[in-house]
Amino acid sequence: MNERFVEPEQLDHLPADHPEAVRSRRDLRIINAMLGTRRWLEKRIPVGAAVLELGAGDGSMCRGSSWTGLDLAPRPIDLPQACSWVQGDMFDASNWPKVGVIVANLFLHHFNEDQLQWLGQQIRRSCGLFLACEPRRHPLPMASGALLATLCDFSPVTWNDMMISIRAGFRGAELADALGFNSGFRVSETLLGSYRLEVHL
Ligand SMILES: C[S@@+](CC[C@H](N)C(=O)[O-])C[C@H]1O[C@@H](n2cnc3c(N)ncnc32)[C@H](O)[C@@H]1O
């Protein structure tokens, strides 16, 4: 697992209301809870800051009127009214509102080096704080992920995408380098498989 290996994931090619997509998004909520993602984000986001979440999925991280979710998928039906939603492609800069904080969760590993370079430039123009939680590319999360998938009866889509995601995940300063951040960043990696990047711009 020395090199990143980026492959298409099944969830990205299923209609948002497909039963396996619905089940897989439920599984993602379990994974996020196990990884402690919300707690890590909430500790770092200043109260009241305007936040843009890239690839917001089912919107389960979105909190209140200061949040905007951006995703190819339509606005989730159970998203709180107060949250804003942009349905569109992240690679279209006109879809990005100007905010204080940009968040990406289990999203950036989908992209190759050229795409991440474009994204880094766009992030630098758009916010003062960038927070990312991605899969850690390591054999340990492969094993703990398989155990969790068995215990929680994950969908075959989640099983497939989880292994692909870990192989496409990050280590060390890889994500900061790919985004073009040379300083002002901190990386942490957890035993359960979260790779976290915090960048002050
Ligand atoms: C693995 S899901 C993660 C969702 C969410 N962040 C979470 O943690 O549950 C990846 C999401 O990225 C979205 N996505 C993929 N490519 C995109 C793009 N180019 N622009 C916007 N959203 C995209 C997909 O629609 C999907 O909802």
Side-chain angles (χ1 to χ4, degrees):
M1 301 184 81
N2 279 341
E3 303 280 324
R4 290 187 69 217
F5 187 58
V6 180
E7 286 174 273
E9 296 182 27
Q10 289 181 0
L11 181 59
D12 292 337
H13 299 283
L14 287 174
D17 59 353
H18 189 287
E20 285 303 324
V22 173
R23 200 172 150 206
S24 188
R25 284 198 300 274
R26 177 215 67 148
D27 298 343
L28 280 173
R29 283 198 289 274
I30 296 173
I31 291 171
N32 282 327
M34 287 297 299
L35 294 176
T37 304
R38 185 193 306 285
R39 203 171 48 246
W40 185 80
L41 290 173
E42 281 179 352
K43 271 192 190 159
R44 284 159 181 81
I45 297 176
V47 177
V51 181
L52 170 66
E53 184 183 357
L54 304 172
D58 70 352
S60 55
M61 289 290 156
C62 291
R63 282 281 165 276
S65 58
S66 56
W67 281 74
T68 301
L70 167 59
D71 202 289
L72 293 172
R75 182 186 175 95
I77 40 176
D78 53 356
L79 188 76
Q81 272 302 318
C83 300
S84 304
W85 191 262
V86 178
Q87 181 180 5
D89 189 352
M90 173 191 72
F91 290 105
D92 177 351
S94 69
N95 285 326
W96 293 50
K98 199 124 183 96
V99 290
V101 183
I102 292 180
V103 168
N105 182 45
L106 301 181
F107 180 54
L108 303 182
H109 64 276
H110 287 78
F111 303 113
N112 64 34
E113 306 295 304
D114 289 345
Q115 291 169 315
L116 291 173
Q117 194 183 29
W118 179 90
L119 187 60
Q121 289 163 0
Q122 180 63 19
I123 289 168
R124 246 190 308 277
R125 282 194 284 267
S126 308
C127 69
L129 172 63
F130 175 66
L131 300 169
C133 300
E134 292 296 320
R136 176 186 179 209
R137 195 175 74 256
H138 192 276
L140 210 56
M142 288 261 180
S144 55
L147 181 64
L148 184 68
T150 307
L151 292 176
C152 299
D153 189 26
F154 279 180
S155 136
V157 171
T158 313
W159 266 97
N160 175 74
D161 288 358
M162 184 165 61
M163 296 306 161
I164 287 178
S165 300
I166 295 170
R167 286 195 291 269
F170 302 97
R171 290 179 176 182
E174 281 175 354
L175 180 57
D177 287 347
L179 293 167
F181 300 128
N182 305 315
S183 60
F185 68 85
R186 192 165 30 211
V187 173
S188 54
E189 298 178 37
T190 71
L191 272 182
L192 279 179
S194 194
Y195 172 99
R196 293 160 173 169
L197 173 67
E198 175 178 358
V199 190
H200 293 268
L201 296 149

